[in-house]
Amino acid sequence: MGVWIVVLVVLSLMGSVFWVMPSARDRLRMRLRQRAMSLGLKVRMPDQALKERLIRYEDFILGSMLYECLNFSHQTVQFSGGLYVVKGQDSTWAFVEQSLPSGIDKGKVISAANELPEACRLLMLTTNGALVFWDEKGEERDVERIKSALESVNASIS
């Protein structure tokens, strides 16, 4: 009888340990976020105000994290809000807005967006820099692709 009690106690302790340990998917997400931060990207969850502002893109941002590359150059283009570039059903990127502020090279932005991983579907340009919504389904090299693409987007704004 005493052996069964010891076995049950050990099993319950092991269950608690396994319950607390992160899953393989969670460990991958942590590695991706650490890699992004080491490359200088800002990683965060979309806040409630941003979610409300992007309600028409809810399908694109649901379950996604923001990977942001700040633009520290002295850019002259000023616009309010954000400019959105969306990946369509046919996997082509296009600006939502028809008229863009002068100083934004539309071709370079689209070209940079094409370098993003397949899971990225919404790119946003702000006066602070470029950011992309990513569901973090990928590998560490995808983080490097995101960094490169966002830097290219920032360079295309002058």
Side-chain angles (χ1 to χ4, degrees):
M1 181 70 171
V3 172
W4 287 107
I5 293 174
V6 171
V7 169
L8 286 175
V9 168
V10 169
L11 287 176
S12 67
L13 289 174
M14 285 178 51
S16 298
V17 167
F18 287 127
W19 182 68
V20 171
M21 288 179 52
S23 67
R25 178 76 183 125
D26 289 337
R27 287 193 302 269
L28 173 65
R29 285 181 177 162
M30 286 186 283
R31 274 198 322 270
L32 294 174
R33 292 173 189 169
Q34 286 174 342
R35 179 68 181 142
M37 288 184 274
S38 72
L39 291 173
L41 292 174
K42 192 174 171 186
V43 181
R44 60 188 170 102
M45 294 180 71
D47 60 1
Q48 189 63 32
L50 183 59
K51 285 181 182 179
E52 289 172 4
R53 203 169 79 193
L54 298 174
I55 192 71
R56 62 182 163 170
Y57 305 114
E58 184 176 18
D59 292 342
F60 295 162
I61 64 173
L62 193 63
S64 297
M65 293 289 288
L66 276 173
Y67 281 66
E68 183 174 13
C69 183
L70 299 175
N71 189 355
F72 296 109
S73 69
H74 299 293
Q75 62 187 16
T76 58
V77 177
Q78 294 294 320
F79 50 91
S80 62
L83 301 173
Y84 307 103
V85 187
V86 179
K87 186 189 283 188
Q89 297 284 351
D90 56 352
S91 295
T92 59
W93 289 87
F95 275 92
V96 173
E97 296 81 9
Q98 296 300 320
S99 62
L100 299 175
S102 61
I104 295 179
D105 189 333
K106 183 177 180 178
K108 285 184 180 178
V109 171
I110 298 297
S111 176
N114 286 325
E115 299 301 317
L116 290 168
E118 189 65 32
C120 297
R121 297 176 43 205
L122 178 63
L123 172 67
M124 184 174 163
L125 284 69
T126 67
T127 55
N128 295 330
L131 56 96
V132 68
F133 292 86
W134 186 39
D135 61 4
E136 299 177 314
K137 292 181 180 170
E139 302 171 356
E140 287 187 42
R141 63 183 170 86
D142 290 331
V143 174
E144 293 164 7
R145 289 175 56 197
I146 289 172
K147 168 73 173 175
S148 174
L150 293 180
E151 284 180 338
S152 296
V153 169
N154 283 340
S156 66
I157 300 173
S158 55

